[in-house]
């Protein structure tokens, strides 16, 4: 998959709310998994999408998804634990499957 093909994919909106702060979906992740990886806000998430499409690094196929990523100079989000612990996140990852994608803020690329 090349950069041109990245720009022609559709955003999988089913995954958007769980990566935005203060949504029922992100709160559910914190309750059930003990943490959630959240973008600072929706504008930041959209910036991450564009940056990965234009400058991202191809990571390969990992656990059934094609993945692209990009390391940002400034935090793009944070990992919020059910204990209240907050860790700043600088890495954006795009997961692609079935012609759709969603992005996730992370500490580093998926292994």
């Amino acid at each position: 998959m090349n950069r041109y093909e990245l720009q022609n994919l559709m955003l999988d909106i089913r995954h958007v709310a769980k990566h935005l702060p203060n949504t029922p979906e992100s709160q559910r992740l914190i309750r059930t998994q003990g943490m959630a990886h959240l973008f600072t806000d929706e504008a930041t998430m959209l910036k991450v999408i564009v940056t990965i499409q234009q400058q991202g690094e191809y990571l390969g196929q990992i656990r059934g998804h094609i993945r692209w990523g990009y390391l940002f100079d400034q935090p793009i989000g944070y990992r919020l634990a059910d204990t209240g612990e907050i860790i700043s996140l600088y890495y954006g990852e795009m997961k692609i499957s079935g012609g759709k994608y969603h992005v996730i803020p992370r500490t580093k690329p998926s292994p």
Side-chain angles (χ1 to χ4, degrees), residues 57-69 94 96:
E57 172 188 10
Y58 176 69
L59 303 174
Q61 186 156 344
I62 304 166
R63 293 188 302 280
H65 292 85
I66 296 169
R67 297 175 192 245
W68 286 70
M94 180 180 283
I96 303 163

Side-chain angles (χ1 to χ4, degrees), residues 39-99:
F39 287 104
T40 307
D41 52 33
E42 189 171 0
T44 302
M45 181 188 72
L46 296 173
K47 173 186 155 194
V48 168
I49 291 169
V50 171
T51 302
I52 291 173
Q53 288 173 332
Q54 294 175 351
Q55 301 174 47
E57 172 188 10
Y58 176 69
L59 303 174
Q61 186 156 344
I62 304 166
R63 293 188 302 280
H65 292 85
I66 296 169
R67 297 175 192 245
W68 286 70
Y70 188 84
L71 180 61
F72 291 83
D73 293 336
Q74 300 293 319
I76 58 170
Y78 54 97
R79 183 171 67 194
L80 177 60
D82 57 3
T83 61
E85 179 186 23
I86 297 173
I87 297 173
S88 295
L89 302 175
Y90 292 79
Y91 196 81
E93 187 171 281
M94 180 180 283
K95 289 175 64 174
I96 303 163
S97 180

